[in-house]
C-alpha cells in the first residue's frame, strides 16, 4: 500500500515507520509512506499556508490552494487513491474501518492544523475520520494511529499472521489476561489451567475471561454482540465465580 500524508510536520509523521510493525511493513515492501510538506505548495513569499477566517473569530484557517495542490501532487505520485481527512468532525475510527482501508491500493491522508482547512477543500475529500471525541492539536497523531493500525493488516507485515486475527476487537471482545514466568510472583500464582497443557481447557478459560473482561469494562461492546449459547454459558460462569 502506498500512503501519502499531507502535513505541516513531515518529519514528525516520518517517525512512524522507524518503529515496530509499520517499520517491518516498509522493510517487507508492503508499505511506502511519504510525508509531503504542505508548505512546499505555498505561493506566498514567506511560505504562509494559513490566513484569517472570513466572518471573524479566533484562530487561522488553512488556505485551499496549497492543500489542493498537495493533493494533486500526491495523486500524481501514487495514483487516484482515496483521500482521507483526519478531523474532529470525522467518523470515529473502528477496526472495521481499519480492515476495509487496508484493502486499498493507496491512501492520501490530510492532516489539519490551526482551525482546519477552508471548506472548499472538502469536495476533494472522500472520507473524514476522527480518533474520538477529544481535542488534539492537529491531525498528525490521528493519521499516525490510523496508518499504524492499517499496517498490521498488510500481508507480511506482522510476521506471525495469527496475531492480527486473534486481536482484541476482531472478535468484538476485549483480550483475555496474559501470564509469563515466574509461576508464582509476590505470592500470586499463574492460574492453574494455563499450566495444565490442556489446550481445549486453556481456550475455554481464555474465552471466558475475554467475555468477563468485556462485561466488566466495556458492556457497550457486549450489547452489540449476539452471544451464542456457549458464550452466554461461559459469561454466566464468569459472573458466578466473581462472588
Ligand atoms: C474552536 C474549536 N476547535 C478547537 C477546540 C476545533 C478544532 C480544530 C482543530 C479542534 C481540534 C483541531 C485539531 N484536531 C484534529 O485535527 C484532529 C482530531 C482531534 O482533535 N480529535 C480527534 N481526532 C482528530 S483527527 C484530527
Amino acid at each position: 500500500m502506498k500512503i501519502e500524508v499531507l502535513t505541516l510536520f513531515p518529519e514528525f509523521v516520518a517517525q512512524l515507520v522507524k518503529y515496530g510493525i509499520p517499520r517491518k511493513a516498509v522493510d517487507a515492501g508492503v508499505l511506502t509512506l511519504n510525508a509531503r510538506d504542505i508548505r512546499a505548495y505555498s505561493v506566498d513569499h514567506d511560505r504562509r499556508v494559513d490566513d484569517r477566517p472570513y466572518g471573524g473569530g479566533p484562530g487561522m484557517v488553512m488556505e485551499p490552494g496549497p492543500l489542493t495542490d498537495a493533493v494533486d501532487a500526491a495523486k500524481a505520485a501514487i495514483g487516484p487513491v482515496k483521500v482521507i481527512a483526519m478531523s474532529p468532525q470525522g467518523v470515529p475510527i473502528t477496526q472495521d474501518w481499519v480492515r476495509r482501508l487496508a484493502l486499498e491500493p493507496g491512501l492520501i491522508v490530510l492532516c489539519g492544523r490551526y482551525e482546519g482547512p477552508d471548506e472548499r477543500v472538502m469536495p476533494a475529500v472522500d472520507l473524514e475520520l476522527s480518533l474520538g471525541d477529544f481535542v488534539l492539536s492537529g491531525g498528525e497523531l490521528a493519521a499516525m494511529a490510523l496508518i499504524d493500525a492499517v499496517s498490521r493488516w498488510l500481508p507480511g507485515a506482522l510476521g506471525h499472521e495469527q496475531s492480527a486475527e486473534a486481536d482484541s476487537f476482531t472478535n468484538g471482545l476485549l483480550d483475555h489476561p496474559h501470564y509469563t514466568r515466574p509461576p508464582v510472583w509476590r505470592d500470586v500464582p499463574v492460574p492453574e489451567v494455563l499450566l495444565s497443557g490442556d489446550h481445549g481447557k486453556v481456550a475455554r478459560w481464555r474465552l471466558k475471561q475475554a467475555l468477563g473482561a468485556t462485561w466488566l469494562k466495556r458492556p457497550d461492546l457486549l450489547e452489540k454482540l449476539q452471544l451464542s449459547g456457549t458464550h452466554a454459558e461461559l459469561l454466566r460462569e464468569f459472573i458466578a465465580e466473581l462472588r
Side-chain angles (χ1 to χ4, degrees):
M1 169 181 276
K2 294 177 176 171
I3 301 182
E4 286 268 342
V5 180
L6 313 185
T7 172
L8 291 173
F9 300 98
E11 291 174 339
F12 178 37
V13 171
Q15 295 300 311
L16 178 67
V17 290
K18 291 193 176 169
Y19 305 98
I21 290 167
R23 177 183 177 164
K24 282 192 67 181
V26 169
D27 290 347
V30 296
L31 174 67
T32 67
L33 179 69
N34 182 48
R36 191 176 289 271
D37 190 353
I38 294 164
R39 210 174 284 285
Y41 300 88
S42 172
V43 289
D44 191 274
H45 59 86
D46 44 8
R47 302 189 85 213
R48 279 168 52 108
V49 291
D50 62 324
D51 207 338
R52 291 149 59 199
Y54 276 121
M60 297 293 272
V61 177
M62 297 175 86
E63 296 168 5
L67 271 175
T68 49
D69 286 351
V71 170
D72 291 346
K75 283 187 175 167
I78 65 169
V81 301
K82 278 207 171 78
V83 178
I84 298 176
M86 305 314 300
S87 153
Q89 280 78 45
V91 212
I93 298 170
T94 60
Q95 192 70 338
D96 281 346
W97 274 113
V98 168
R99 295 185 69 169
R100 219 172 306 155
L101 292 173
L103 302 174
E104 297 288 330
L107 294 172
I108 295 168
V109 185
L110 221 149
C111 303
R113 281 277 154 174
Y114 320 116
E115 295 307 305
D118 184 301
E119 191 63 22
R120 292 168 290 183
V121 171
M122 296 318 289
V125 171
D126 297 298
L127 178 63
E128 281 183 276
L129 292 179
S130 157
L131 220 48
D133 294 334
F134 55 94
V135 181
L136 293 168
S137 49
E140 283 78 9
L141 278 172
M144 290 160 82
L146 173 67
I147 296 162
D148 179 281
V150 164
S151 70
R152 304 174 55 77
W153 290 97
L154 302 178
L158 215 51
H160 45 290
E161 299 296 331
Q162 279 182 336
S163 292
E165 199 61 50
D167 260 348
S168 176
F169 296 117
T170 298
N171 61 9
L173 297 174
L174 299 185
D175 205 359
H176 57 76
H178 300 267
Y179 294 88
T180 185
R181 295 189 301 172
V184 180
W185 183 75
R186 294 190 178 175
D187 295 333
V188 185
V190 171
E192 217 172 86
V193 57
L194 298 180
L195 311 173
S196 70
D198 184 335
H199 300 305
K201 275 180 73 178
V202 168
R204 234 178 84 88
W205 180 87
R206 284 180 171 164
L207 178 55
K208 189 202 285 193
Q209 298 303 314
L211 287 158
T214 310
W215 182 76
L216 285 171
K217 300 174 187 178
R218 292 293 305 276
D220 59 308
L221 294 180
L222 219 46
E223 277 161 27
K224 292 182 205 161
L225 297 176
Q226 189 63 260
L227 291 191
S228 70
T230 334
H231 282 50
E233 172 65 20
L234 284 170
L235 180 55
R236 273 196 297 277
E237 285 179 29
F238 179 93
I239 294 167
E241 286 165 15
L242 284 179
R243 313 180 192 287

